[in-house]
C-alpha cells in the first residue's frame, strides 16, 4: 500500500473514531445533514410530480427517483439522535420525535415501503399504478410532517 503503515494507521483511526461519529458530531451539522437529505427527497418528488401531472412525458428516470427515496428513507432515523432537538439547536423537528421514537421510525419505514412499491411500478412500466402509488408516497411524507415537524407546509 502506498504510504505504508502510516496511512494504514490513519485509516484505522478514522474507522475506529468514525463509528460512534453521529453521537459526537455537532448537533447543528447533523440537523443540516438531515434537512439536506429531506430537500433532496423533495427534489425527487418534484421531478416525479411533473411526470405524474403529464407536464413531462419522459418516464425513464422514475425508477431512479423512487429508488433514491427508498434508499435514503430507510437510514434516516439514525440522523435524529437525542440531543438534536429544539432545546439544543435550531431544528423543525418536534420533541415528539424523541418522545415517540418507535412511531417516528415506523413512519420512515412506511415511506421506505411505499417508495419501494413506487420503484416496482416504475420498473414494470405500469404508468397507472405508478401515478396512484405516487399519492401514497406523498401521503407518507405529509403524515409524518403533521405529527413530527413544526411547520407542516410543503
Ligand atoms: C418519519 C418522518 C418524516 C418523513 C417520512 C418525511 N419527513 Fe420530511 N421532515 C421530517 C422532519 C422531522 C423534518 C424537520 C427536520 C429538522 O429540521 O431537523 C423534515 C423536514 C423536511 C423538509 C424541510 C428541510 C429543510 O430545509 O429544513 C422538507 C423539504 C421535507 N422534510 C420533505 C420531505 C419529503 C418530500 C418527504 C417524503 C418523500 C419527507 N420529507 C418525509 C420528517 C419526515
Amino acid at each position: 500500500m502506498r504510504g505504508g503503515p502510516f496511512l494504514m494507521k490513519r485509516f484505522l483511526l478514522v474507522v475506529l473514531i468514525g463509528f460512534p461519529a453521529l453521537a459526537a458530531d455537532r448537533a447543528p451539522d447533523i440537523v443540516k445533514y438531515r434537512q439536506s437529505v429531506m430537500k433532496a427527497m423533495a427534489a425527487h418528488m418534484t421531478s416525479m410530480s411533473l411526470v405524474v401531472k403529464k407536464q413531462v412525458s419522459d418516464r425513464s428516470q422514475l425508477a431512479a427517483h423512487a429508488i433514491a427515496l427508498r434508499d435514503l428513507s430507510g437510514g434516516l432515523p439514525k440522523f435524529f439522535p437525542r440531543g438534536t432537538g429544539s432545546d439544543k439547536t435550531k431544528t423543525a423537528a418536534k420533541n415528539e420525535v424523541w418522545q415517540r421514537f418507535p412511531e417516528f421510525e415506523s413512519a420512515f419505514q412506511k415511506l421506505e415501503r411505499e417508495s419501494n412499491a413506487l420503484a416496482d411500478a416504475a420498473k414494470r412500466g405500469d404508468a397507472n399504478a405508478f401515478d396512484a402509488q405516487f399519492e401514497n408516497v406523498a401521503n407518507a411524507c405529509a403524515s409524518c410532517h403533521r405529527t413530527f415537524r413544526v411547520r407542516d407546509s410543503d
Side-chain angles (χ1 to χ4, degrees):
M1 182 185 195
R2 224 154 68 102
F6 175 67
L7 258 190
M8 192 60 195
K9 259 186 218 154
R10 283 240 303 218
F11 171 75
L12 280 176
L13 203 66
V14 167
V15 169
L16 289 175
I17 294 173
F19 269 123
L22 227 41
D25 291 348
R26 293 171 60 245
D29 294 332
I30 299 175
V31 170
K32 189 172 180 190
Y33 180 95
R34 71 197 183 204
Q35 288 177 341
S36 301
V37 173
M38 286 283 171
K39 275 189 271 203
M41 295 204 304
H44 286 296
M45 290 299 282
T46 303
S47 302
M48 288 189 284
S49 77
L50 288 162
V51 177
V52 170
K53 287 186 289 189
K54 312 243 183 297
Q55 289 165 251
V56 169
S57 53
D58 190 320
R59 306 185 70 92
S60 62
Q61 293 198 322
L62 291 180
H65 290 298
I67 287 166
L69 285 186
R70 180 197 65 195
D71 290 353
L72 289 170
S73 57
L76 264 185
K78 286 204 296 290
F79 295 91
F80 288 84
R82 286 194 175 277
T84 62
S86 57
D87 53 334
K88 291 275 169 20
T89 188
K90 200 168 170 303
T91 171
K94 283 190 192 164
N95 291 333
E96 275 81 351
V97 167
W98 296 278
Q99 289 158 0
R100 291 146 65 182
F101 202 76
E103 194 190 321
F104 182 68
E105 265 187 309
S106 54
F108 272 126
Q109 283 159 8
K110 183 171 169 57
L111 176 60
E112 192 178 4
R113 279 196 309 276
E114 299 291 15
S115 34
N116 190 48
L118 190 65
D120 284 346
K123 286 183 207 152
R124 289 198 311 272
D126 186 339
N128 288 335
F130 184 92
D131 293 357
Q133 183 57 22
F134 182 76
E135 280 306 302
N136 295 335
V137 172
N139 289 337
C141 310
S143 77
C144 180
H145 290 163
R146 267 198 301 279
T147 315
F148 294 108
R149 189 174 69 152
V150 172
R151 79 207 133 74
D152 67 354
S153 54
D154 84 82

